[in-house]
Amino acid sequence: MSSRILPRSFYARDAVTVARELLGKIVAHGETAGMIVETEAYLGGDDLAAHSAAGITPRTRVIFGPPGHAYVYLSYGMHDCLNITAEREGEPGCVLIRALEPLEGLDIMRARRPGIRTDRDLTSGPGRLTKALAITRADNGVDVTHGDLTVRRPEHQQHFEIDVTPRIGITKCADWPLRFVIRGNKYVSR
DNA sequence: GTTGCGATAGTCT
DNA sequence: GACTATCGCAACG
């Protein structure tokens, strides 16, 4: 199974390409796993919506580090959100994982998300999926090309169309078309 | 089905 | 001290 883990070269490209190609891939953490159905690219340069826009700080250091690592930050004081770093080392750029389709460990996910109505709410949002897969800031900076938190190729990736829209929940660069979703997938966030 | 709003804490100015 | 790459619940209809 480890042969299906995406290699570092997959991530050592521009963040837009990585964001598009991560759709349909699988995030696995421990006994739980899901297929990526929604991503957003955060760039360097004049992308003022990116955390890295303020330069290298204790928090943003990993975004400037080598590609293929997890950047996990606290959103709105409550939710941990998962990104995967892109671009070559020294260049900022990352991909926010906004939604998954649950694949493995559904019972574990349900136990971690008490109170939800349907399985649709399990991982259909950046704060939701980290809770369901138990990804926290303790995973910040880990290498996703080996270890407990990995991104893999599915055995049979089915064909899908990609919809492109502006990113969600930001005020700067709010009209840039950098959000990518699998068309028609019911686990895409609202 | 929809809209509106409060919670909550780390990060940087 | 302001701001935030969100979520869940309550009040509608």
Side-chain angles (χ1 to χ4, degrees):
Chain A
M1 247 8 192
S2 63
S3 63
R4 293 199 167 272
I5 293 179
L6 295 178
R8 178 133 10 254
S9 57
F10 178 93
Y11 304 100
R13 300 180 289 169
D14 66 280
V16 171
T17 299
V18 176
R20 294 184 70 101
E21 296 197 12
L22 275 175
L23 292 176
K25 303 304 187 293
I26 293 169
V27 175
H29 189 224
E31 304 297 304
T32 53
M35 180 179 72
I36 300 171
V37 301
E38 176 177 355
T39 62
E40 285 179 0
Y42 285 86
L43 314 179
D46 51 357
D47 182 6
L48 298 181
H51 290 169
S52 54
I56 300 181
T57 67
R59 180 176 62 146
T60 63
R61 172 175 47 84
V62 31
I63 306 173
F64 291 84
H69 288 248
Y71 166 54
V72 186
Y73 71 93
L74 182 68
S75 180
Y76 291 97
M78 272 172 282
H79 309 289
D80 290 311
C81 294
L82 171 67
N83 299 249
I84 312 294
T85 59
E87 310 282 349
R88 66 181 192 276
E89 183 163 9
E91 289 295 318
C94 63
V95 177
L96 172 65
I97 310 301
R98 282 194 58 88
L100 302 175
E101 175 174 332
L103 292 181
E104 294 175 24
L106 280 279
D107 289 336
I108 300 172
M109 295 189 198
R110 292 184 191 107
R112 288 170 178 160
R113 308 240 326 109
I116 62 167
R117 291 176 160 69
T118 70
D119 284 352
R120 181 191 168 98
D121 295 331
L122 231 31
T123 54
S124 57
R128 292 173 174 178
L129 87 262
T130 53
K131 200 151 291 163
L133 299 215
I135 295 166
T136 69
R137 279 164 291 158
D139 300 297
N140 187 44
V142 305
D143 187 344
V144 300
T145 66
H146 67 263
D148 192 44
L149 175 62
T150 54
V151 183
R152 304 159 188 240
R153 253 175 236 294
E155 293 202 27
H156 307 288
Q157 182 170 320
Q158 62 221 19
H159 178 75
F160 51 78
E161 299 297 322
I162 298 176
D163 286 330
V164 184
T165 79
R167 294 172 291 185
I168 303 291
I170 57 172
T171 56
K172 301 159 193 156
C173 305
D175 56 344
W176 292 20
L178 294 177
R179 173 172 174 260
F180 306 95
V181 309
I182 292 183
R183 180 176 299 168
N185 187 284
K186 74 172 190 174
Y187 293 94
V188 168
S189 75
R190 303 296 193 81

